[in-house]
């Protein structure tokens, strides 16, 4: 049984180990600072498919395939897969994974999906409901632009606070035996936090309050401080959201400056790659977690980190109706034996 | 720990009891055969809000409020809420529940959401991660028409296989102590099944194969037959999907005829209410479960039933791109002490 710590945190009795992980990205992400960390990439933004949506579906199935390969299992052996994405009605996941023939649990957490799916996969293991469970998510620059903003052909001007949706997917497979030696020790599901940000080109600002809420809740629950962790990763706050996160955490007495990195700021070279405030999208934190972060664990650089994916729970319709942008952030505390 | 039975079914060690339930519907649903079963309804299709989307958000918060009232708890006491809906990026749930201040787990299962959320809430209880967990979902005729088909003003002609999206929401609250005496004994998460149906006006046909797959998997896993249950409810297959379900189950040796009812065929009077093949939408099975079905349990009519919500995992984009409609169905086996 998971033990509840404080108001928000869960500590697992049976360690959910990460047995395998896989990542796939597009060319721009491969050209970025983390290029060599990813399992594979394609020069073709359609990944051999007819549409960007189908390309993104392909990203998810490739990432799951790679994770299964690393875990040394056949995909059919998975008891459950938790998957979601950014597109309307989560079609990327449904179509990308429909041929797997395993119980499919659709989730929606916007860019918080990687941490959300991983946390739920751990919970399913802890309940005894699954022996092997996977989490996967993705995003694609071209499908996201069409969905949330304008078709690429329109060539609209980006604002300085805008972020560049990562073309990429990441998958993790959790199980009870000791594969990589990396396990989820604790999780903390986030609450919706909405401080009234309405600018759909400033997602970082909309998500930062939720990230601060989840991180400070977790630190209070566990009676720890940022310096107790090797590093604290957020998903895709970018430069604007990161500055705001530091401010908000400082008000609660936590200094994150020297212990924090943001996947959205790591995946691109902001000087050379013209991505404004950084990378974003479900695929951003997913691909970085399932590559760079796992690789650092494997090399013994990390033993205890926090991973927080952050999501903006809006749609073009809600923005057009004048609604603000609610944020959410889910946290996993990863450790290595 | 949940016990795995066969390939697909989970049996709970610690019974997740339904402590409370709540349902809210629109005027047309109130005018239907189940009208008096629902907790509340409104003559106003906007439920006092400015837009149909906000109205649907209101439906969810009202249903959760009613469920909490029946459970005798404050909403703040919930450890987790599992919520989803049909709209792009699930904004109904995010906006409807953002003020609750409890850990929010967004899910997407199209019209399978009620069974999906309930099954996950049970799993979270079984894992020890939650002591009190809620599941809620909704749909709204007007927001769904705008999202999936045409704005109402267009007045398009409906096909005979079309179904009428239910305006309604249903919520359940699960906990460990014995509230209503009704508990989830087993669950069965569904796999995506796609037999190639491409007609977006014939969701019943698209979902029936998934329903048949989940039901027959469960019956095989548990070595039971339809006659072992008081009744087997499906979510919203309508007349077309129901006929197909019977055929598909018969091929596997199971006769459902005298043990089955479909929430989509129960909620409206198809002769008087002009709904073609029946009701549909996440809110259909959710509102029927959280009213009529719970009430029959309360009155002692039921002791052992199967409840299966069925979802069509498509979007307007996937249909325009010529994709078929993948279906999914999740099952809960509800019993009473």
């Amino acid at each position: 049984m998971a033990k509840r710590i404080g108001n928000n945190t869960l500590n697992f009795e049976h360690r959910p180990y990460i047995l395998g992980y896989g990542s796939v990205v597009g060319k721009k992400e491969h050209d970025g600072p983390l290029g060599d960390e990813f399992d594979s990439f394609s020069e073709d933004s359609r990944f051999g498919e007819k549409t960007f949506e189908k390309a993104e579906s392909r990203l998810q199935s490739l990432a799951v395939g790679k994770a299964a390969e690393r875990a040394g299992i056949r995909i059919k052996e998975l008891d459950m897969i938790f998957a979601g994405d950014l597109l309307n009605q989560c079609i990327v996941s449904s179509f990308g994974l429909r041929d797997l023939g395993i119980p499919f649990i659709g989730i929606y957490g916007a860019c918080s999906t990687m941490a959300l799916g991983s946390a739920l996969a751990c919970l399913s293991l802890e309940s005894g409901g699954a022996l092997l469970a996977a989490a996967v998510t993705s995003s694609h620059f071209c499908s996201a632009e069409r969905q949330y903003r304008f078709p690429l052909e329109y060539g609209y001007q980006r604002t300085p606070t805008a972020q560049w949706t990562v073309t990429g997917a990441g998958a993790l497979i959790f199980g009870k035996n000791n594969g990589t030696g990396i396990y989820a020790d604790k999780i903390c599901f986030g609450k919706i936090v909405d401080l009234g940000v309405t600018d759909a080109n400033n997602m970082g600002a909309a998500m930062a309050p939720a990230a601060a809420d989840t991180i400070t809740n977790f630190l209070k629950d566990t009676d720890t401080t940022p310096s107790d962790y090797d590093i604290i990763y957020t998903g895709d706050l970018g430069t604007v959201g990161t500055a705001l996160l530091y401010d908000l955490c400082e008000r609660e007495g936590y200094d994150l400056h020297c212990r924090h990195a943001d996947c959205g700021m790591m995946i691109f070279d902001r000087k050379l790659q013209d991505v404004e405030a950084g990378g974003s999208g479900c695929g951003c934190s997913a691909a970085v977690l399932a590559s760079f972060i796992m690789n650092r664990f494997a090399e013994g650089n990390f033993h205890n980190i926090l991973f927080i994916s952050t999501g903006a729970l809006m749609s073009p319709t809600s923005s057009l109706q004048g609604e603000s942008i609610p944020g959410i952030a889910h946290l996993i505390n990863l450790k290595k034996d």
Side-chain angles (χ1 to χ4, degrees), chain A residues 86-89 108 110 147-149 198-200 203 311-326:
Chain A
L86 287 175
L87 296 198
N88 295 350
Q89 285 77 45
Y108 183 75
Q147 187 84 101
Y148 287 93
R149 293 170 196 99
T198 54
D199 180 359
M203 295 293 187
L313 300 172
M314 45 73 74
S315 82
T317 304
S318 66
S319 292
L320 285 172
Q321 292 183 354
E323 268 290 6
S324 54
I325 304 173

